Amino acid sequence: MTQADAGHTLLEMRDITKTFPGVKALSGVTLTVRRGEVHAICGENGAGKSTLMKVLSGVHPHGTYEGEIRFEGKECRYRSIRDSEADGIVIIHQELALSPYLSIAENIFLGNERAQRGIIDWNLTNAEAARLLARVGLAERPDTKVQTLGVGKQQLVEIAKALSKDVRLLILDEPTAALNDEDSGHLLDLIRSLRAQHITCIIISHKLNEIAAIADSTTILRDGQTVETLAMHGAEPVSEERIIRGMVGRSLDQRFPDHTPSIGEEVFRLQDWTVHHPVDGSRVVVDHANLVVRAGEIVGIAGLMGAGRTELAMSVFGRSWGTRISGTAYVRGKPVDVSTVGRAISAGLAYASEDRKRFGLNLIDDIKHNTTAAALGKVSRSGVLDQAREYKVAETFRRRLGTKTPTVDAVVGKLSGGNQQKVVLSRWMFTDPEVLILDEPTRGIDVGAKYEIYTHINALADAGKGVIVISSELPELLGLCDRIYALSQGVLTGEVPRAEASQEVLMRYMTKEKEVARR
Amino acid sequence: MSEPVPAGGTGLDTQPGLETAQTPRATEDVAKRTNLREYGILGALIIIVLLFQVLTGGKLLQPDNVASLIQQNAYVMILAIGMVMVIVAGHIDLSVGSIVAFIGGVLAIAMVNWNLPWLLAVILGLAVGVAVGAWQGFWVAYVGVPAFIVTLAGMLVFRGLAIIIVGETIAGLPSGFVAISNGGLLGLLGYAGVLDVFTLVIGALAIAAFVAGQLRTRRTLRAHDLMVEPRGAFLAKLVVIGLLIAFFTWVLAASAIGMPYVLVIVAVLILAYAFLMNRTVFGRHIYAIGGNVHAAVLSGVNVRRVNFRIFVNMGLLAAIAAVVTTSRAGAGIASAGVNYELDAIAAAFIGGTAVSGGVGKVSGAIVGALIMGVLNMGLSIMSVNPAWQQAIKGLVLLAAVAFDLLNKRKVAGA
């Protein structure tokens, strides 16, 4: 980077406000990126990072947001990703978008084929691809199928693809979240070398050590607003603590029902629980997790995106996620078999998924059938259903949880998020479990319904159940849980009782690096 | 795992129609709509019957034509029952026509070449059907090969096996076996004029059972404060369906064979499978898998086992269809059952089974099968060219499914 080039503003986003029905995702966000710098954006889950990048790249077209975007001095009114790519703004999403059965070269030039009158020039394609691969430091032949590459190498192909489009601003969304340490290191080196080639980068990351290592400036978002932009190489070096303070600096303003826990004996324990990635079997996703839940206790699991929260829960619940799972689960002190969902339910476990539409409910069926789905044995005799009992059960839970619906014959897909979540809770309460794992129990639910859900969670604990709550909203965990575990990259890095818990403390554990944690 | 959508999608917290649904007026509308969906297909059947009654100059509903309508279409109804289950679970079965031919061959060889008593041969045939179903179920459920591929393979394999074991035709089946699809219960309780009393008694019992069942259901719904149809609609339904059964009984009682044996078989199967789908854990699991397989897995449903059993069951029903078909023809024929799978699939879809799975009823598929059967029969009586018959059936299938989709879209938009 020549010093003369640096300092000029490449991108300016001013007063960006983006409203979704009912929610203000961004309000008056300002972002200024200088030419040739690596600019990090960080913030909690839901702070608005991805929305901001979608506004920039034209996924949310001009006119659907307020504010102004200036790129290289001129105002931009992108209507689609094509428009922003034409200006050299390329975004690489966390979920890579490569076609697995096509070759590297085919992927690089997909939609941008090296062709004359519709006939592809394969020699030119492969030659150019080889040149791009050399630039990103990927030693693979251009005709290699992308399917055979690991995630790290696929990421490099994505970057090569971006370079092929004459990129001037490269946006990387959580680029290292799915990578192992070696691949992450390689990627960071590549970003440095791209900087030397005058390519400006925006990097969205949860890994604060990486940000500290690579970023020239860091913009922190919180609740859809810009908190501050830190110059990383100023007179005073910016610490991870400093970034964390910016990310969480908000008071507990949500309201939670009062609850005095009465905590009894241990109901659930997980020992040395280790899970590997189902596709990349060498990647450890949950690493020797040990946790304990007592009767009447609400235990939180905090972790940033990709930390392995859902993976941990689903692997325990009948090995629904992951391969090469090892470790032992104990219910009331006895080791239990949780190798299938059926066995996990029999052992006294319940798991309510974070994505109730995809993994929770049969949306085309009614409330009563969804309520009894996990415990049909309780409403049947030798395989024959007692429909009158089924009605009664569904009706009982409808009343107890206050599900708003005229009858339990209503189709679940038409209920609101809060009422759907109550149906999910009904289902798992009816199985009468010892331990309930609630994954993002209030996601997509309005504030009033959240309060109700919290009340029911408290009631479950008071009934002597052990409750595990997974949430990406720290205030929710702080308001609800008696004890909180922090998960960082598959490792339980900390265990904090309610009295000592704060967002700063949790965030410190949540961003703790693997090596430190393993010590 | 993923960052929450800042808003939109899951953030929407609206309850379309729920506030208004609590007013009596709206509740009535919902009930009407449900009725329309449920009875629309039945109405279509009645209209088609009346249409052909007129077009054929009254020949369609002549007693002997009604009896042979049932005998000729029993195989579609039997296969459609299994096909509904397969499709509701999100699969398809293309092999049933070939399985019918293969098991028909087994039946014929058992009776003609091995001289087995026909009842024993039938039991052997059913056992082979179960084995064939288990074979296909294994590949679908435990290996994970899509049912489309497994049953496409099955279609080729079993057609080939049928030709290998049968050659072309094995004739000379015992008369007891042939009677299954060609005879009926006649004169058991004597005659009242030209009418068979036994058939009349069965018809009366059927009406009584239907009315009693409907009343019981209505009482149960009432007891749980659930939506019931308005009294008028309910009574109209009882009267219309009662009259239909009565008319049908009267026609059959005047036929040359009385109550066809196959009608007894089909009726038992309909009742048994309607019960299986509505009232048993197995049936519920089928709907759960078709509705949302991920949710079913996470609710502890053993999806593999359920899928396996669905195909075993389909094999069994294909074997029953083979018995009926072989009996009707009086011979094992290698080329029997061609396009039966398509008839069954069409019947299921005409009867309101959802293409995407999760929705479908045995009764609907039966009505769908009858629509196809009446079309066949009526067009044959009118001596319409078979090529045209095929084309017309195709258009009816297309129209039925398109109508269902449009209807659903309207309901969703309402």
Side-chain angles (χ1 to χ4, degrees), chain B residues 14-386:
Chain B
T14 49
Q15 304 175 34
L18 265 188
E19 282 79 11
T20 53
Q22 275 152 334
T23 67
R25 176 65 199 278
T27 312
E28 212 166 283
D29 282 350
V30 171
K32 267 185 204 155
R33 210 182 289 139
T34 326
N35 277 350
L36 276 182
R37 286 267 293 281
E38 203 137 298
Y39 297 110
I41 283 296
L42 192 55
L45 173 62
I46 293 172
I47 289 168
I48 290 173
V49 168
L50 293 178
L51 180 70
F52 278 105
Q53 178 72 356
V54 172
L55 288 177
T56 59
K59 284 190 199 139
L60 180 76
L61 291 180
Q62 276 173 8
D64 289 352
N65 279 340
V66 171
S68 66
L69 173 75
I70 293 161
Q71 290 171 331
Q72 276 174 21
N73 290 291
Y75 77 88
V76 194
M77 295 191 255
I78 295 167
L79 292 174
I81 291 171
M83 198 61 78
V84 167
M85 300 165 71
V86 168
I87 296 174
V88 166
H91 307 294
I92 196 77
D93 192 335
L94 301 175
S95 67
V96 292
S98 296
I99 296 175
V100 164
F102 171 63
I103 294 178
V106 171
L107 289 165
I109 288 170
M111 285 180 281
V112 176
N113 298 6
W114 304 341
N115 285 317
L116 284 184
W118 68 265
L119 197 60
L120 213 57
V122 166
I123 292 170
L124 175 69
L126 299 184
V128 173
V130 168
V132 166
W135 159 260
Q136 302 205 109
F138 165 76
W139 291 103
V140 174
Y142 293 101
V143 183
V145 181
F148 188 93
I149 304 299
V150 171
T151 60
L152 182 62
M155 182 179 177
L156 300 170
V157 167
F158 295 109
R159 178 65 62 192
L161 290 180
I163 296 169
I164 290 166
I165 64 171
V166 174
E168 280 178 19
T169 305
I170 299 176
L173 301 182
S175 62
F177 180 76
V178 173
I180 295 175
S181 279
N182 295 291
L185 292 162
L186 186 65
L188 280 182
L189 297 172
Y191 299 90
V194 292
L195 301 177
D196 174 37
V197 173
F198 177 75
T199 306
L200 293 178
V201 169
I202 294 289
L205 287 176
I207 293 172
F210 172 72
V211 171
Q214 289 291 316
L215 285 174
R216 223 191 82 189
T217 310
R218 192 175 167 84
R219 211 176 316 126
T220 317
L221 290 177
R222 273 264 170 76
H224 295 286
D225 287 332
L226 290 166
M227 260 173 356
V228 291
E229 304 153 273
R231 179 176 292 270
F234 179 70
L235 287 178
K237 180 175 85 177
L238 290 189
V239 170
V240 168
I241 294 185
L243 281 177
L244 278 178
I245 301 176
F247 174 74
F248 195 60
T249 311
W250 176 72
V251 171
L252 275 182
S255 77
I257 56 166
M259 167 87 70
Y261 293 121
V262 284
L263 180 58
V264 178
I265 296 173
V266 169
V268 168
L269 288 176
I270 292 172
L271 292 176
Y273 278 93
F275 180 84
L276 183 80
M277 288 297 270
N278 295 331
R279 294 287 310 277
T280 68
V281 172
F282 177 57
R284 183 65 56 75
H285 283 172
I286 295 175
Y287 286 110
I289 290 174
N292 183 347
V293 68
H294 303 296
V297 169
L298 286 178
S299 297
V301 175
N302 189 336
V303 173
R304 287 179 177 174
R305 196 167 65 197
V306 174
N307 281 335
F308 179 73
R309 288 180 180 175
I310 288 170
F311 277 91
V312 170
N313 176 68
M314 187 75 248
L316 176 66
L317 285 170
I320 297 174
V323 169
V324 169
T325 304
T326 311
S327 161
R328 182 78 183 158
I333 304 171
S335 62
V338 171
N339 283 352
Y340 278 17
E341 60 283 338
L342 301 181
D343 289 339
I345 292 167
F349 284 143
I350 291 175
T353 308
V355 182
S356 50
V359 176
K361 289 177 102 177
V362 169
S363 56
I366 296 297
V367 175
L370 285 173
I371 287 178
M372 300 281 282
V374 172
L375 279 174
N376 271 336
M377 190 79 169
L379 293 170
S380 301
I381 294 174
M382 292 168 67
S383 7
V384 172
N385 178 341

